[in-house]
Amino acid sequence: MRAYGSHDGAPCDGAGEEDAVTAEVPPLRRPRGAARALGFRRRSADPAVQAADVRASEPLAPATTAPIVLAGRYELRRVLGSGGEANVYAAHDGLLGREVAVKVFHSRVAPPDAGSLERVEARVSASLNHYALTTLLDAGIDEGPEGRQLYLVMEYVPGEALNERLRRGPMTPADACWLGFDIAEGLDHMHQVGFLHRDVKPSNILISGLRSARPVVAKLTDFGIAARVGEPDLSEFTTGTAAYLSPEQVEGLDAEPASDVYSLGLVMIEAITGRVVFPGSVTRSAFARLDRDPEIPEGIPPRLADLLRRMTARRPADRVGLYDLAVELQQILVDMLLELRPGGAAPAAEPPVVDGPPQQASAAFDAALRLLLGASGATAAIALLGDPAAGQTVAARAGAATASPEGLPVLRAARSGAVLVEDAWQDRDLRAHPLVLGGGVRAVAAVPLQNADRTVAGSLVLLDRAPRAWDDAARAALEDTAALLVADLGLRRAVRRALSLDD
């Protein structure tokens, strides 16, 4: 599925230059005994051939001047992109008064009364909810003068596809890292929900044209060939685009989460160099990665070069995971920010803080604690900063708590790992604390806010008014929230370090 937009009125090619249909080369047997023939489901690599095929099969825009309105609601206004399977239109939602993108499938490809691949696409899209993934708003079958038409309604993203952006020249390494961070976050969400994308490429990445404090804001789109994680691919042909397939896909093996990581690595290298990593014909491009690793761009930070190598390792087991990838990209971006400041690279020692304490809470703390409460079902969540032995301060809290947890004996024990107390009344050290005596707290769970260098920045505490056994889900929510808070603290400390170099 694509969601499209253009801030300057230029159309976004709905099928991109490297999109695929069944490859227009004789099917080739895969090496190493692979069972499936090398074919690609989506479209020809030649944009002229593809455009001619589409023009010959269906018009790109309505033949009459009267607007086409789907479901009595979506007025199609202009073509944003087209391909062998569907046309994508900029449209106006008359009911809610907003701009949307509507993907209308050709009836010969997706008969509205058949259980087609596009319906699977709609189900995949409806399962996803992430800022870096385009959002499905509606789906249906229109009974209009053009006959029965299957359509999907997506968010409209003002901007352009990455392949269009790269026609103006390559990105800086920092911009490529911003892009990689967004897409890594989106893919990680997809994988956690249970789906593989399998077609990560420049034409399926949208660069938002809306003004932002960040130089690049990216969204992943087109879930038409997404598949469930771990589900075997029983089709005869490989799905995906030759230039961005992982080695295991080329060999005829099933895609896995690491396959999406490999494809993203190729996209990031292309963004930095402005050149496709494995160019050439479908066959030449696909098999090239079995013989050689991608060439890493020269002149980029060594840490980024190493990360790109780990993203594009030939063995899936050697590739970096998406969570670690996102964290490392954040750290690389901070390093780049410091190097751009007067005075050069960041000093080895922590410089004096400009103003305020070195660690303080942010709005992110409050949001994270509210999410933690919802996930754990506890009464209150409290984040503290500082050393339990030398004193701590409450940085943020959510839920009802009549007293502060400073001085709780469990906080010192929690410096080395999670501490879970099912009933504080049965704990000799806890039952005299004001939270338990006067606040009615019965259950306590605490984990450290531990920095990457193993130092402890504080504690994260869950409180409940009823005795409870802390199950795996509650513990996981607590530990995940602690990791988010530590990441937020680290980023803001790094920004303060960068700002201090201006003094």
Side-chain angles (χ1 to χ4, degrees):
M1 183 181 75
R2 288 284 310 264
Y4 299 78
S6 177
H7 61 275
D8 58 4
C12 295
D13 183 358
E17 290 186 3
E18 65 288 337
D19 291 354
V21 276
T22 301
E24 299 187 14
V25 294
L28 300 178
R29 283 294 169 190
R30 297 183 180 279
R32 307 181 191 178
R36 297 199 296 271
L38 180 63
F40 298 93
R41 236 185 22 82
R42 307 264 293 173
R43 59 154 283 192
S44 170
D46 184 346
V49 171
Q50 185 273 342
D53 288 344
V54 172
R55 286 194 296 270
S57 59
E58 293 197 28
L60 298 183
T64 64
T65 57
I68 292 179
V69 180
L70 298 180
R73 176 177 176 180
Y74 305 109
E75 179 183 330
L76 307 186
R77 293 190 166 176
R78 71 180 187 279
V79 177
L80 294 175
S82 58
E85 295 183 347
N87 291 339
V88 179
Y89 298 87
H92 180 73
D93 180 352
L95 180 62
L96 297 180
R98 62 181 175 180
E99 299 304 304
V100 295
V102 178
K103 183 174 185 177
V104 182
F105 294 96
H106 306 324
S107 58
R108 70 180 189 283
V109 175
D113 56 352
S116 63
L117 175 67
E118 283 65 36
R119 293 191 182 185
V120 175
E121 177 181 355
R123 289 197 294 271
V124 172
S125 303
S127 303
L128 306 176
N129 181 19
H130 194 275
Y131 78 92
L133 304 174
T134 52
T135 303
L136 178 71
L137 304 175
D138 193 8
I141 297 175
D142 181 72
E143 302 278 0
E146 304 294 324
R148 291 167 60 85
Q149 291 185 296
L150 178 65
Y151 66 89
L152 303 179
V153 181
M154 301 157 286
E155 67 170 309
Y156 177 82
V157 181
E160 60 188 343
L162 176 59
N163 61 320
E164 295 165 339
R165 161 62 184 83
L166 294 180
R167 292 189 185 115
R168 301 196 302 274
M171 288 182 162
T172 65
D175 285 356
C177 287
W178 282 114
L179 178 149
F181 173 79
D182 282 343
I183 304 306
E185 289 267 275
L187 286 172
D188 187 45
H189 174 78
M190 278 195 73
H191 294 173
Q192 290 188 58
V193 172
F195 293 102
L196 304 172
H197 190 280
R198 301 200 301 176
D199 202 18
V200 178
K201 59 185 177 181
S203 63
N204 283 343
I205 295 174
L206 305 180
I207 308 298
S208 174
L210 296 176
R211 187 176 63 186
S212 170
R214 294 175 46 180
V216 173
V217 177
K219 282 179 175 280
L220 183 63
T221 187
D222 198 338
F223 311 113
I225 60 172
R228 287 199 172 275
V229 174
E231 186 173 278
D233 183 359
L234 302 179
S235 63
E236 180 182 359
F237 296 104
T238 293
T239 50
T241 302
Y244 304 95
L245 289 175
S246 64
E248 60 270 18
Q249 289 173 285
V250 172
E251 291 184 335
L253 303 176
D254 292 330
E256 53 185 281
S259 305
D260 284 343
V261 174
Y262 185 94
S263 299
L264 177 56
L266 296 185
V267 169
M268 290 183 62
I269 294 172
E270 182 176 339
I272 295 171
T273 63
R275 301 185 302 274
V276 177
V277 178
F278 294 111
S281 66
V282 168
T283 307
R284 179 181 176 185
S285 173
F287 288 122
R289 71 215 63 207
L290 300 181
D291 300 323
R292 61 182 175 88
D293 294 322
E295 184 177 340
I296 304 302
E298 296 181 358
I300 64 174
R303 189 171 181 179
L304 176 56
D306 176 68
L307 183 59
L308 291 172
R309 290 189 188 95
R310 287 186 288 134
M311 292 176 71
T312 55
R314 282 188 241 183
R315 293 179 65 248
D318 294 335
R319 293 174 205 152
V320 61
L322 283 166
Y323 176 83
D324 292 335
L325 170 60
V327 171
E328 290 196 44
L329 286 171
Q330 283 183 318
Q331 295 169 346
I332 291 169
L333 283 165
V334 169
D335 291 344
M336 290 179 179
L337 172 64
L338 294 175
E339 290 172 3
L340 291 174
R341 293 290 178 180
E350 183 91 8
V353 178
V354 178
D355 55 12
Q359 297 171 334
Q360 59 185 11
S362 68
F365 269 51
D366 294 326
L369 293 189
R370 289 194 299 270
L371 289 174
L372 174 59
L373 276 187
S376 65
T379 302
I382 302 176
L384 301 101
L385 295 178
D387 187 341
Q392 293 186 309
T393 59
V394 175
R397 71 169 68 215
T402 58
S404 176
E406 294 106 314
L408 273 176
V410 296
L411 298 184
R412 295 185 184 182
R415 287 177 59 84
S416 58
V419 174
L420 309 174
V421 178
E422 297 183 0
D423 189 351
W425 288 4
Q426 306 302 319
D427 188 293
R428 183 180 59 186
D429 295 326
L430 279 178
R431 60 193 178 196
H433 191 277
L435 270 176
V436 180
L437 279 177
V441 169
R442 295 290 299 274
V444 180
V447 294
L449 300 179
Q450 190 174 63
N451 298 313
D453 61 0
R454 302 288 184 181
T455 59
V456 176
S459 307
L460 178 60
V461 185
L462 272 178
L463 306 173
D464 208 325
R465 293 188 183 278
R468 64 177 289 174
W470 299 100
D471 59 18
D472 291 341
R475 177 171 179 162
L478 185 64
E479 292 175 340
D480 289 347
T481 304
L484 286 173
L485 300 186
V486 169
D488 180 74
L489 286 171
L491 284 174
R492 286 185 294 106
R493 281 201 307 271
V495 170
R496 285 179 174 273
R497 290 171 59 196
L499 292 175
S500 70
L501 295 177
D502 287 339
D503 285 0

